[in-house]
Amino acid sequence: MRKNFGNKPAVYPLPVLIIATYNENNTANAMNAAWGTVADTDRIAIYVSQGHKTMKNIMERKAFTVSIADKFHVKEADYLGIVSGNKIDNKLEKCGLHATKSEFVDAPVIDELPLCMECKFVSYDTESELLIGEVVNLSIDERILDENGNVDIAKFAPVAFDTLNKSYVVLGEKVGDAFSDGKEFR
């Protein structure tokens, strides 16, 4: 038996993305955006409303960073989503986060979040509000790497947004090997 919920998109997992930019006064700004995904081998796509301070900053600087929230910073990530950068200039400072200027783009890297995509602006469609960025560098804090230099998903503990239950969930259990486990059905 199935229960119908109507026209609600439910894509799982939906990563909790934190987009960071610089304001016109060079202070770091960030927002929580859950509507994003990989768009190509070197691109990311995120739906961002035109009214966000972050979008205005991106259009001005042509650069931004995208970090993935982890379970250790859920409250901070949520705060970045419920408070507008149009009203508060120092959102990162207010929630205890710190930023360092990216070596690759004119945007801040949030120090506490361990995985960050440093992006150049590619395009923005004002009708659909779809932002496309080219990932010019992926920086990863060594604290989430295993002994072989690979991301240890359990150490990382990335957070996903559960749209149906309006909650955050943590990812971390490996359940299979991609491009391998399905070979038995060939």
Side-chain angles (χ1 to χ4, degrees):
M1 188 70 161
R2 297 175 76 90
K3 181 177 178 183
N4 294 321
F5 284 84
N7 65 342
K8 293 184 180 184
V11 176
Y12 288 89
L14 196 57
V16 176
L17 305 175
I18 305 298
I19 306 171
T21 60
Y22 283 120
N23 293 320
E24 58 278 346
N25 65 0
N26 292 319
T27 58
N29 178 58
M31 69 171 281
N32 181 324
W35 315 115
T37 189
V38 172
D40 203 341
T41 57
D42 66 346
R43 293 191 176 191
I44 187 165
I46 309 169
Y47 288 93
V48 183
S49 171
Q50 295 176 59
H52 285 290
K53 177 69 172 165
T54 298
M55 199 60 239
K56 293 173 189 168
N57 292 346
I58 291 169
M59 296 308 290
E60 180 69 28
R61 302 269 183 144
K62 305 300 185 201
F64 58 100
T65 62
V66 179
S67 296
I68 299 176
D70 62 13
K71 77 174 185 178
F72 309 104
H73 299 95
V74 170
K75 288 181 182 178
E76 294 87 343
D78 192 56
Y79 173 79
L80 295 174
I82 59 177
V83 175
S84 172
N86 287 313
K87 295 179 181 176
I88 296 180
D89 193 41
N90 60 346
K91 287 169 61 174
L92 290 174
E93 183 181 317
K94 285 268 194 186
C95 67
L97 296 175
H98 306 88
T100 303
K101 183 170 180 6
S102 164
E103 295 177 47
F104 301 91
V105 297
D106 187 17
V109 173
I110 300 173
D111 299 334
E112 291 81 2
L113 300 179
L115 187 146
C116 180
M117 293 167 276
E118 299 163 66
C119 302
K120 286 192 315 188
F121 172 82
V122 172
S123 66
Y124 183 70
D125 180 64
T126 56
E127 187 173 322
S128 68
E129 299 185 320
L130 178 61
L131 168 67
I132 304 290
E134 176 188 349
V135 179
V136 296
N137 185 55
L138 171 64
S139 63
I140 300 175
D141 192 309
E142 292 179 359
R143 68 187 153 99
I144 67 165
L145 300 179
D146 65 17
E147 60 281 348
N148 297 317
N150 299 312
V151 172
D152 181 327
I153 197 79
K155 287 181 183 177
F156 180 13
V159 173
F161 176 54
D162 176 350
T163 58
L164 295 179
N165 296 302
K166 293 186 176 75
S167 61
Y168 298 113
V169 296
V170 68
L171 306 175
E173 179 187 358
K174 180 180 175 180
V175 295
D177 292 309
F179 309 107
S180 178
D181 289 352
K183 289 180 180 176
E184 70 177 80
F185 299 113
R186 284 188 171 173

